[in-house]
Amino acid sequence: MTSFQTIDDLEPGQRLLVRIDVNAPVEDGVVQDDRRFARHAETIRELRADDHAIAVLAHQGRPGRDTFVSLEQHAEILADHLDRPVEFVADTYGDEALLAIESLERSDVLFLENVRMCEGELPEEEPEIKAETELVRTLSSEFDAYVNDAYATAHRSHASIVGFPLVVGAYAGRVMEQEYRANTAIRERAFDGPVTMILGGTKAEDTIPVIERLADIVDHFCLGGVIGELFLRADGYDLGYDVDGTELFDHQWEAHSETIRDSLETDATEVMLPTDLAYEADGDRAETAVAGIEKQTSYLDIGSETIDRYTERIADSEAVYVKGGVGVFEDERFADGTVEILSAIADADCVSVVGGGDTAHSIELYDLDEDDFTRVSIAGGAYVRALTGESLAGIDALERGSRG
Ligand SMILES: Nc1ncnc2c1ncn2[C@@H]1O[C@H](COP(=O)(O)OP(=O)(O)O)[C@@H](O)[C@H]1O
Ligand SMILES: O=C(OP(=O)(O)O)[C@H](O)COP(=O)(O)O
């Protein structure tokens, strides 16, 4: 079991730097989902009740993406959940931020600017390197302790996740603790019948490497979204390329094509790929068989035949894990695959876990009932990594921090 300290181990009335993950779906600059806010608000409420002064550190999107925006609206959404004001400062560790941190009083909550706007936060590097960044050095000297509640980012070796525990006392927040325990417990469960995993979404880099590592607990993988297309490309089909200005496919292909080929050849588990796909034609949804694809276009959902194949597999399963939508479900025309798969899981007599910030959002978007699933995790990449039984960089850092 774990050996990290939690917020139960904190003396009251401390000055705390609290890393949360409120990375959310964003459309036209506006946050679309508050699921993660609601969870982290619980931790912050508890910390306020113990008279701590709190500065919140978080990220949104990745540099260069449309979802990479300021956290000003995030501070407002958190304030709504806390039912009290949350001050926002458009700076993370510069003079303006330090001034705001200095004037923090007990039970105050200050929200710092998007940490991914800071040099040193990215890319993934060893904790020792991250601990030496100006970001970590500067902020750590302002606080008595660091609380990591950002389980959904615990698989990233970023400065705000792995750097602080090396230089300041580190504690797990409630969300970190609860998600860690729940996702670790899923790994331990044994099933007599088949276990199926639906993999989709855009972050194929997080899911491609886990397929072979999950072969001991998953019998069938059903692929859609970007990962589905990359596997079809490896299987010899003329798709899975960046077209229409996308930047989703080629860099992930370059980094992972060998692993994909290995996963396709494995006998340890079944990897099911789409046999038809949906795309936009004259403003409507159109479908084509994968076998007939010649022309490059953006494919935005799995097709009807694939949906039938995957939902049949789900109906036969004793457990189903989901990470990532199998199509661009935010657009109703391309939501069929994701919604029908989730509905089939909800109807099936199986243990089910749905993970990922965007994927969890689809449950709410299409009025599915969260109670029909055994568990909906706010984490995506971190949850699938936890299923492999391998450690998460953020958890390792908390454990190191607890050893002193
Ligand atoms: N074929 C596709 N092309 C582009 N985007 C896709 C495709 N299929 C799914 N997506 C997108 O994947 C996103 C979710 O991906 P990801 O961030 O990896 O999942 P999560 O946040 O749930 O872990 C959804 O917002 C959806 O629009
Ligand atoms: O939303 C997140 O992960 P997820 O999409 O796997 O749920 C986390 O905030 C991590 O974000 P990142 O994948 O840009 O590092």
Side-chain angles (χ1 to χ4, degrees):
M1 215 45 214
T2 57
S3 53
F4 51 70
Q5 303 176 109
T6 73
I7 55 175
D8 291 325
D9 301 306
L10 280 167
E11 292 296 321
Q14 308 277 299
R15 298 178 67 75
L16 302 179
L17 180 66
V18 182
R19 176 58 159 108
I20 65 173
D21 185 341
V22 283
N23 186 31
V26 168
E27 268 173 46
D28 300 327
V30 180
V31 167
Q32 302 293 310
D33 184 66
D34 67 351
R35 177 179 297 266
R36 288 178 172 172
F37 292 85
R39 293 286 304 280
H40 289 296
E42 296 287 329
T43 305
I44 292 169
R45 212 173 283 128
E46 210 179 311
L47 293 173
R48 283 194 66 246
D50 277 342
D51 281 338
H52 299 296
I54 299 156
V56 171
L57 190 60
H59 76 277
Q60 171 61 58
R62 297 176 180 180
R65 303 271 172 91
D66 291 349
T67 53
F68 185 59
V69 296
S70 163
L71 299 184
E72 189 170 4
Q73 63 184 311
H74 297 64
E76 285 171 25
I77 300 169
L78 183 64
D80 287 345
H81 282 276
L82 293 173
D83 204 19
R84 68 168 321 280
V86 171
E87 189 192 342
F88 171 73
V89 58
D91 185 17
T92 312
Y93 68 96
D95 290 346
E96 216 188 319
L98 296 183
L99 211 61
I101 291 166
E102 269 166 37
S103 50
L104 266 179
E105 295 188 1
R106 287 178 174 207
S107 297
D108 281 352
V109 184
L110 170 72
F111 212 121
L112 301 169
E113 183 56 290
N114 191 339
V115 68
R116 289 192 178 173
M117 292 178 177
C118 301
E119 203 181 323
E121 168 65 358
L122 307 173
E124 293 201 70
E125 288 169 315
E126 290 301 313
E128 288 74 9
I129 296 172
K130 292 308 191 187
E132 290 302 325
T133 57
E134 209 182 324
L135 163 73
V136 172
R137 286 277 155 207
T138 309
L139 281 182
S140 56
S141 64
E142 300 293 318
F143 297 95
D144 301 317
Y146 160 85
V147 174
N148 190 352
D149 210 27
Y151 180 82
T153 319
H155 56 315
R156 307 278 186 230
S157 193
H158 292 158
S160 64
I161 301 294
V162 300
F164 290 103
L166 268 58
V167 285
V168 65
Y171 301 80
R174 282 289 175 248
V175 174
M176 175 66 83
E177 203 187 339
Q178 290 162 357
E179 289 280 326
Y180 174 78
R181 291 194 199 294
N183 289 326
T184 307
I186 296 165
R187 155 95 200 160
E188 309 300 327
R189 287 194 69 157
F191 299 98
D192 294 331
V195 176
T196 298
M197 185 164 204
I198 315 293
L199 291 178
T202 56
K203 296 176 190 170
E205 68 224 354
D206 289 337
T207 45
I208 293 166
V210 303
I211 291 183
E212 285 198 84
R213 289 190 233 147
L214 287 172
D216 59 334
I217 61 163
V218 176
D219 302 295
H220 313 283
F221 288 92
C222 299
L223 270 46
V226 170
I227 185 174
E229 279 192 57
L230 291 172
F231 268 71
L232 287 168
R233 178 170 167 178
D235 212 18
Y237 295 96
D238 197 19
L239 68 153
Y241 301 89
D242 278 316
V243 287
D244 302 335
T246 62
E247 287 181 14
L248 291 170
F249 295 91
D250 293 334
H251 71 281
Q252 301 200 87
W253 171 261
E254 275 150 33
H256 299 289
S257 58
E258 286 308 313
T259 314
I260 296 175
R261 289 200 178 97
D262 290 346
S263 297
L264 274 174
E265 283 164 17
T266 184
D267 291 329
T269 183
E270 181 193 30
V271 180
M272 296 174 74
L273 303 184
T275 43
D276 57 350
L277 291 167
Y279 59 100
E280 184 182 325
D282 300 325
D284 292 324
R285 176 187 175 107
E287 295 191 358
T288 177
V290 164
I293 284 173
E294 285 173 357
K295 166 173 122 358
Q296 288 296 320
T297 188
S298 280
Y299 297 100
L300 301 171
D301 195 9
I302 55 173
S304 318
E305 181 185 276
T306 308
I307 295 173
D308 288 346
R309 288 169 49 235
Y310 288 3
T311 51
E312 272 173 37
R313 179 64 77 216
I314 289 164
D316 285 343
S317 298
E318 201 177 322
V320 183
Y321 305 133
V322 183
K323 155 70 172 106
V326 292
V328 181
F329 59 78
E330 295 86 348
D331 182 332
E332 257 182 78
R333 295 168 300 172
F334 303 106
D336 291 6
T338 303
V339 174
E340 290 196 34
I341 281 174
L342 289 175
S343 303
I345 297 169
D347 291 344
D349 182 20
C350 67
V351 169
S352 56
V353 185
V354 179
D358 291 279
T359 315
H361 177 48
S362 67
I363 291 178
E364 191 179 305
L365 208 56
Y366 292 98
D367 286 332
L368 294 159
D369 188 347
E370 192 165 330
D371 292 341
D372 287 336
F373 304 93
T374 312
R375 176 168 166 70
V376 178
S377 174
I378 51 168
Y383 129 79
V384 287
R385 195 181 164 91
L387 279 181
T388 67
E390 288 169 33
S391 64
L392 301 171
I395 298 286
D396 287 348
L398 280 175
E399 290 181 340
R400 281 180 70 176
S402 299
R403 284 197 296 271

